[in-house]
Amino acid sequence: MEALDKAYWNARYESGETEWDMGTVSPPLRDYIDQLPNKNLRILIPGGGNSYEAKYLWDAGFHDVTVLDISSVVIDRLKRQHEQTGIKFETGDFFEHEAEYDLIIEQTFLCALDPSLRQAYARHMYDLLWEEGRLVGVLFNREFEAPGPPFGGGIKVYRRMFEPYFSFKTFAPCYNSHPARQGKEVFINFRKLDPLSRKR
């Protein structure tokens, strides 16, 4: 499999091969954001791509928003598009990123990673979240016939991956997905486990 590194993702964005891009904020995430009362949350969108959610958050009054992506092409583009906002756009490797957040939004990031990295992904999400922080987002609830990315999965696979690190508030098929993804997504709303309560 081709290395899914910075050069790979820069080439995808330069060539416009971004078929995962819905062109708008994900409806399940929009609905989740709309009911959040605390505008002071420190929010990360890793593997953010075109990050429609970031602009939606900013317009809704959330002003501590960070978008992280390994592609300098898409990050430079976003900096130009949203220079009038205070959204932080950073080029970098998720697994090397160090900070603390109250909320991490997952939107087509996990499906872009080699499946061999999934356990490390779950662990690093845990490490980036502050006490009782939340990981919220959408995951593909299907497998793909063609070689990834995107890489698919299902609730049973994801459950094993996340169980050591999070308690599950919501972990169910989406009822309000974008029309292009109806019946193909699972919505997650996970709370970081206290270190003393984590399963060994």
Side-chain angles (χ1 to χ4, degrees):
M1 184 174 66
E2 187 175 357
L4 304 179
D5 55 11
K6 181 176 181 177
Y8 173 89
W9 290 109
N10 276 342
R12 291 288 294 264
Y13 282 105
E14 285 173 339
S15 64
E17 294 180 70
T18 55
E19 59 276 2
W20 63 85
D21 188 345
M22 296 183 294
T24 186
V25 62
S26 169
L29 291 175
R30 178 199 62 212
D31 292 351
Y32 177 78
I33 291 166
D34 286 348
Q35 57 81 51
L36 284 174
N38 182 3
K39 305 295 185 181
N40 297 315
L41 294 172
R42 298 166 296 173
I43 302 172
L44 172 68
I45 306 176
N50 286 306
S51 296
Y52 304 103
E53 287 75 22
K55 182 61 163 53
Y56 191 84
L57 282 160
W58 182 265
D59 290 343
F62 296 89
H63 290 167
D64 193 345
V65 180
T66 300
V67 175
L68 177 71
D69 202 287
I70 200 168
S71 170
S72 56
V73 170
V74 75
I75 289 295
D76 290 346
R77 184 184 301 162
L78 288 168
K79 285 179 177 178
R80 293 191 297 271
Q81 289 176 349
H82 303 300
E83 62 182 355
Q84 301 304 317
T85 75
I87 301 170
K88 297 181 281 289
F89 295 103
E90 298 184 17
T91 303
D93 186 327
F94 166 75
F95 296 100
E96 297 175 2
H97 186 65
E98 295 183 4
E100 290 178 342
Y101 298 97
D102 304 301
L103 173 64
I104 300 179
I105 291 179
E106 159 62 55
Q107 165 64 316
T108 64
F109 177 45
L110 178 63
C111 72
L113 295 174
D114 187 305
S116 67
L117 296 173
R118 287 186 170 181
Q119 205 59 46
Y121 161 100
R123 173 65 206 222
H124 198 52
M125 286 291 189
Y126 175 89
D127 290 340
L128 288 170
L129 285 167
W130 185 238
E131 297 172 1
E132 298 189 348
R134 290 189 177 273
L135 171 61
V136 175
V138 287
L139 305 173
F140 278 117
N141 192 21
R142 57 166 295 188
E143 297 290 350
F144 295 92
E145 294 179 4
F151 301 98
I155 289 178
K156 288 184 179 179
V157 173
Y158 299 139
R159 181 178 295 277
R160 288 194 297 270
M161 184 175 79
F162 288 115
E163 240 175 359
Y165 307 106
F166 297 93
S167 63
F168 306 150
K169 178 180 179 182
T170 307
F171 196 178
C174 282
Y175 66 89
N176 57 345
S177 294
H178 185 278
R181 297 185 182 175
Q182 285 291 334
K184 302 173 184 176
E185 289 182 317
V186 58
F187 184 76
I188 63 170
N189 180 350
F190 298 162
R191 182 176 63 81
K192 176 177 178 174
L193 286 174
D194 183 283
L196 295 178
S197 66
R198 275 192 55 204
K199 296 178 182 179
R200 301 297 180 188

